[in-house]
Amino acid sequence: MKILTYNINGIRAGLKKGFDTWLNATQADIICLQETKALKEQVPVELFEAMGYQTYWQSAQKKGYSGVAIFSKITPQNVVYGYEEETGLDDPEGRVIRLDFSDFSVISVYMPSGSSSDERRDFKMEWNAQFYEYIAWLRQHKPNLLISGDYNICHKPIDIHNPKANANSSGFLPEERAWLSSFVELGFVDTFRHLNGEPHHYTWWSYRAGARDKNLGWRIDYHMVSEPLKDRIERALILAEAKHSDHCPVLVELSV
DNA sequence: ATGGCAAGCTAAGCTTGA
């Protein structure tokens, strides 16, 4: 089973760059999207339905902002928009959606950026702490978990092109990296890093100063699987050739 | 240390992003 995660940075902009054609060629079973920046009604979903996907959308209250989705060729048993039913917390920025299948659950998550202001940096840490609590609870009920998305944190120096210059950059702050370590220690495996120990593999590049051509990037998009799924990881690839966004897609293939 | 690019809202410039 092939599962993609992709921060598309505006799905309507992505479609103008051929995202649908590219997606059709990947033959993926499930796609986790982030930063869709649209309501379902604003998107020509029939393009994706024609490929065999059912599409599920969780959008922000603010128009054109944030938003996640999951496209699936397999009918889920259950769809959870946000996490209010478990945590009582609203998801006004449209950052979480979950599909439950018979043998595993998949979450598409867009964790906040902390780069805009000190307030957003604090918000990010609070949001992540709440998400941690949600997952700590969920793993007891759904032990087979795939948590895919834009975590907005580089975990280790190998995951960023210039760790020294970015020591004070949101996305690579010590407290953010420590949070991601604690999250992994709940019992998750970073599927790409599990299979590939090489440096210089990134999933996001600044639009500025030709960063992508120079591969000056950050690895902030992850497929994290819970320990019980670890032995089902067959492949994990960063698909840097796809250029519909400032991020690129990441693939994980799980044995059925 | 700074600035650089893009999407989308709303109607020329602002907000957000990492």
Side-chain angles (χ1 to χ4, degrees), chain A residues 153-167:
Chain A
I153 300 172
C154 292
H155 195 185
K156 297 180 178 173
I158 193 176
D159 300 313
I160 189 166
H161 73 276
N162 193 338
K164 287 180 182 166
N166 286 292

Side-chain angles (χ1 to χ4, degrees), chain A residues 17 68 74 76 131 152 162 234 256:
Chain A
K17 301 172 197 166
V68 292
I74 312 156
F131 186 73
N152 261 322
N162 193 338
E234 292 193 324
V256 180

